[in-house]
């Protein structure tokens, strides 16, 4: 019995299958290599940074005091000041400050959340080098600024021993020197809240840390961040896509204190006292207790899949509109994937490393975008669109398989939910054209 190894155009079916297999294999190898290229420490950082934990270890929080010092520091008050979230996006997580109120001057607030848009900020941000600094100013002026922005402002008194208060004041004074002001900010592990958390813990003889580490929150960095990013689905969708598995381990309470409001709650409970509200916001809603990004992305997926299906229509104007909008959707996703590829392999943004979303939405989706713009309602590119769509779907399947059969864990269900219907619509629309052409 003869076997037909040629298609109607006279091309070898076996040869075409081999080409597709080789192309797919090469793509997977490249994607795997880039995925594996996520390495820390790729870019040199400034040598003059102030490392809080190392410097705190040099302070004596139980030193002896003279009678004058005992009276002075005994009458010094310290507070944790917390400002609620605000706009723009870098204010979504709220803010923390340390207020020191000595008996011989007005209260001063120390603030570790300062950065400047000058001095190469944007270039450093792209590299993953977020240089922040400490500043100090009259607490009354800082509070007035928060109130003017309609942010809830509250304080919690810090009940520390006079010896510890002296050490804290010496530490923040040394930290405020021009040569010590700058530090390398990290979204989750070194920010305006964690700096105060570590100072307060050191001042309690590390009792606060030991207490807080025994309390599990049941949420990861990603899940906590989702709650605070809930006002903007756009930013949440992008930032969640870019962040990899490094932020998906459940946190204890001490780790969760990267959020100013959680730090306030933790210290308030540890101290056994409530917070005092100075001002209550009138415009900003409270952070939700529960939030489902998956539900919202499911709606996104349903909307996105409409436009590839429009290319099946018998009306050319509808097909053109479908090609244009689908192409634009894929340009957005392709650019997002290229950004991920860049930050994974070329920057110090360690939260993006080993991110399997590079396979869920691969850069090859830009090929589909180009094919849609080249088609604009015509049928000539449908076969190539099916091949491109199949490749994207295949890479997503590889990603899903890795997560199902290995110990690799990343909280990225939202992207399977939103993108899989879109890929399916692409394949269905392209395949429908095949059948129509070959009838």
């Amino acid at each position: 019995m003869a076997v037909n190894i040629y298609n109607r155009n006279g091309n070898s079916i076996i040869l075409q299958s081999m080409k597709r297999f080789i192309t797919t294999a090469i793509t997977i190898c490249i994607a795997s290599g880039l995925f594996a290229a996520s390495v820390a420490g790729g870019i040199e950082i400034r040598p003059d940074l102030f490392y809080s934990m190392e410097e705190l270890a040099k302070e004596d929080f139980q030193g002896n005091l003279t009678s004058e010092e005992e009276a002075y520091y005994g009458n010094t008050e310290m507070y944790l000041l917390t400002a609620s979230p605000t706009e723009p996006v870098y204010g979504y997580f709220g803010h923390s400050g340390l207020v020191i109120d000595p008996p011989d001057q007005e209260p001063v607030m120390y603030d570790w959340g300062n950065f400047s848009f000058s001095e190469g900020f944007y270039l450093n941000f792209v590299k993953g080098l977020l240089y922040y600094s400490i500043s100090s100013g009259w607490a009354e002026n800082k509070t007035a600024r928060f109130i003017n922005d309609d942010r809830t402002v509250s304080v919690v008194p810090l009940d520390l021993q006079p010896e510890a208060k002296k050490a804290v004041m010496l530490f923040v004074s040394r930290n405020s020197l021009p040569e010590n002001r700058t530090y390398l900010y990290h979204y989750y592990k070194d920010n305006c809240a964690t700096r105060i958390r570590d100072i307060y813990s050191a001042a309690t003889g590390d009792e606060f840390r030991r207490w807080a580490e025994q309390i599990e929150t049941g949420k990861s960095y990603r899940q906590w961040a989702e709650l605070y990013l809930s006002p903007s689905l756009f930013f949440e969708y992008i930032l969640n896509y870019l962040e990899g598995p490094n932020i998906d381990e459940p946190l204890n309470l001490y780790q969760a204190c990267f959020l100013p409001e959680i730090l306030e709650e933790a210290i308030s409970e540890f101290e056994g006292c409530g917070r005092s509200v100075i001002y209550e916001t009138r415009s900003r809603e409270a952070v939700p207790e529960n939030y489902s990004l998956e539900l919202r992305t499911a709606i996104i997926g349903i909307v996105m899949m409409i436009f590839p299906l429009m290319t099946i229509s018998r009306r050319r104007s509808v097909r053109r509109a479908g090609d244009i909008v689908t192409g634009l959707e894929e340009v957005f996703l392709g650019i997002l994937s290229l950004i991920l590829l860049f930050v994974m392999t070329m920057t110090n943004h360690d939260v993006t490393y080993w991110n399997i979303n590079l396979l869920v939405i691969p850069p090859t989706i830009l090929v589909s975008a180009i094919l849609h713009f080249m088609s604009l309602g015509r049928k000539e590119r449908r076969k190539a669109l099916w091949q491109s769509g199949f490749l994207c779907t295949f890479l997503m399947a590889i990603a899903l398989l890795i997560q199902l059969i290995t110990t690799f864990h990343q909280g990225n269900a939202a992207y399977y939910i939103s993108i899989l219907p879109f890929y399916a619509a692409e394949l269905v629309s392209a395949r429908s054209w095949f059948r129509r052409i070959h009838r």
Side-chain angles (χ1 to χ4, degrees), residues 100-174:
I100 299 179
D101 183 9
D104 57 348
Q105 69 176 46
E106 294 296 315
V108 175
M109 175 176 158
Y110 291 87
D111 176 357
W112 283 264
N114 299 275
F115 63 90
S116 173
F117 284 111
S118 60
E119 301 177 359
F121 173 84
Y122 293 105
L123 179 59
N124 284 329
F125 176 80
V126 169
K127 294 177 180 178
L129 304 177
L130 304 177
Y131 294 124
Y132 276 52
S133 63
I134 183 178
S135 70
S136 60
W138 302 124
E140 184 177 353
N141 294 340
K142 296 260 189 179
T143 302
R145 193 175 306 163
F146 293 139
I147 293 173
N148 187 58
D149 292 337
D150 194 32
R151 305 174 70 173
T152 295
V153 181
S154 54
V155 294
V156 174
L158 306 180
D159 185 17
L160 301 174
Q161 295 300 312
E163 297 85 356
K165 291 179 182 178
K166 177 185 177 181
V168 169
M169 292 179 69
L170 289 173
F171 177 80
V172 296
S173 297
R174 184 159 61 89

Side-chain angles (χ1 to χ4, degrees), residues 103-255:
D104 57 348
Q105 69 176 46
E106 294 296 315
V108 175
M109 175 176 158
Y110 291 87
D111 176 357
W112 283 264
N114 299 275
F115 63 90
S116 173
F117 284 111
S118 60
E119 301 177 359
F121 173 84
Y122 293 105
L123 179 59
N124 284 329
F125 176 80
V126 169
K127 294 177 180 178
L129 304 177
L130 304 177
Y131 294 124
Y132 276 52
S133 63
I134 183 178
S135 70
S136 60
W138 302 124
E140 184 177 353
N141 294 340
K142 296 260 189 179
T143 302
R145 193 175 306 163
F146 293 139
I147 293 173
N148 187 58
D149 292 337
D150 194 32
R151 305 174 70 173
T152 295
V153 181
S154 54
V155 294
V156 174
L158 306 180
D159 185 17
L160 301 174
Q161 295 300 312
E163 297 85 356
K165 291 179 182 178
K166 177 185 177 181
V168 169
M169 292 179 69
L170 289 173
F171 177 80
V172 296
S173 297
R174 184 159 61 89
N175 193 176
S176 299
L177 295 173
E179 63 270 24
N180 295 333
R181 287 176 183 168
T182 305
Y183 73 100
L184 187 61
Y185 175 94
H186 190 281
Y187 323 96
Y188 302 117
K189 298 178 181 178
D190 202 350
N191 61 29
C192 67
T194 64
R195 290 256 156 170
I196 297 174
R197 175 200 67 185
D198 295 339
I199 293 171
Y200 175 71
S201 184
T204 63
D206 244 8
E207 289 184 13
F208 174 70
R209 178 184 60 81
R210 289 190 290 270
W211 169 80
E213 285 182 341
Q214 296 176 4
I215 302 173
E216 297 299 326
T217 67
K219 290 186 176 71
S220 63
Y221 283 120
R222 187 188 303 277
Q223 291 167 324
W224 278 115
E226 281 182 359
L227 299 178
Y228 282 82
L229 287 169
S230 60
S232 174
L233 178 58
F234 176 76
F235 281 113
E236 183 160 17
Y237 190 86
I238 291 175
L239 294 177
N240 258 288
Y241 174 78
L242 296 176
E243 294 179 310
N246 294 337
I247 64 168
D248 285 306
E249 292 298 321
L251 304 182
N252 59 50
L253 183 58
Y254 195 75
Q255 294 169 310

